[in-house]
Amino acid sequence: MRRFRFGLTARIVAVLVVLGVAVFPLYWMLVTALSSNGDLFAEQPRLTPDLGRFGVFVEALAEGKAAGWLLNSLVIAVGTMVLSVGLGIPLGYALSRFSFRGKAVLTVVLLFTQMLPEALMVVPLFALFRRFDLLDSLTGLVLVNSAFVLPIVALILKGAIDGIPRELEEAARADGGRPFTVLTRINVPLIAPSIAATAVIAFFHAWNEYVFAVTFIFDPELQPASVGIANFIGELGTPIQTVMAVAFLFTLPAVAFYLLAQKYVVSGMTAGAVKG
């Protein structure tokens, strides 16, 4: 009994330590945003937020372009998530269920794309975007982010579909179900956890992306928050409280989205790893 209590206590302490390490950066951003200049440069740092200074968040949203940046980030992230998952489901299904020439090569190519750094593709993509008039366009960022995240989405969903017995699809076809109906009525509900996991991956990839956004977007009104926050850094001074306030607001939607979908992430990733 004593050993059981000790083990339970140790697990609780470990969970609290991990939770503290994960939450502390977000908490420190809040403390910094709500601190005065005197507190920031004092010998003893302030460890608790000054709740009377919440006006810094209102000022950051009202005076600057922070609200527009956050909205742009949301549009890009949601667009990338919808497009990559929407294309990844049929692609993963084709890789899992159909046999065609070059299937193994295509799978290896999809895996190889994850080894390419984004910076390596900036120059050719810039020329391509200029030719098709996709510079200074949120649509262009959605397309390029979807192209980079689609392979991993398709491979995860392929693994999840591999774990579904083929007999279920054969029974549906025997009842007159067409391939698209089988996919949407049989496979999609069964791989819902994996779809949720890939949606989280796609959302976070686009939400945090910086290289393409800073290269392909010139209009400050169209910049996402990941680029806009860097604009606060000036040559003569940087409004630290404003930067931390916007960074805190930039972090919250991503954290909230993950908390809503986190129960599907582990099960979805595990389901996608059952078979290769």
Side-chain angles (χ1 to χ4, degrees), residues 130-152:
R130 183 171 59 181
R131 179 175 181 180
F132 289 97
D133 197 24
L134 289 173
L135 295 176
D136 254 348
S137 168
L138 297 184
T139 302
L141 289 183
V142 170
L143 291 176
V144 70
N145 286 324
S146 298
F148 267 78
V149 79
L150 177 59
I152 191 63

Side-chain angles (χ1 to χ4, degrees), residues 36-53:
S36 63
N37 288 331
D39 293 329
L40 288 178
F41 299 103
E43 293 184 2
Q44 297 295 329
R46 186 184 183 92
L47 301 179
T48 58
D50 184 357
L51 300 181
R53 294 180 55 84

Side-chain angles (χ1 to χ4, degrees), residues 26-143:
L26 189 63
Y27 173 77
W28 195 248
M29 281 193 292
L30 178 63
V31 172
T32 304
L34 298 180
S35 298
S36 63
N37 288 331
D39 293 329
L40 288 178
F41 299 103
E43 293 184 2
Q44 297 295 329
R46 186 184 183 92
L47 301 179
T48 58
D50 184 357
L51 300 181
R53 294 180 55 84
F54 261 101
V56 67
F57 289 96
V58 178
E59 295 175 1
L61 292 175
E63 296 180 4
K65 302 180 178 66
W69 294 337
L70 293 172
L71 181 59
N72 293 337
S73 293
L74 184 62
V75 170
I76 296 169
V78 173
T80 300
M81 178 182 67
V82 172
L83 183 59
S84 59
V85 173
L87 295 177
I89 291 174
L91 178 55
Y93 182 75
L95 292 173
S96 175
R97 291 300 192 241
F98 298 116
S99 296
F100 51 89
R101 183 176 298 178
K103 175 181 175 180
V105 175
L106 177 59
T107 303
V108 172
V109 169
L110 290 176
L111 185 62
F112 180 74
T113 59
Q114 301 307 298
M115 305 177 188
L116 295 175
E118 293 182 350
L120 185 66
M121 304 300 296
V122 167
V123 174
L125 283 175
F126 186 90
L128 188 66
F129 273 39
R130 183 171 59 181
R131 179 175 181 180
F132 289 97
D133 197 24
L134 289 173
L135 295 176
D136 254 348
S137 168
L138 297 184
T139 302
L141 289 183
V142 170
L143 291 176

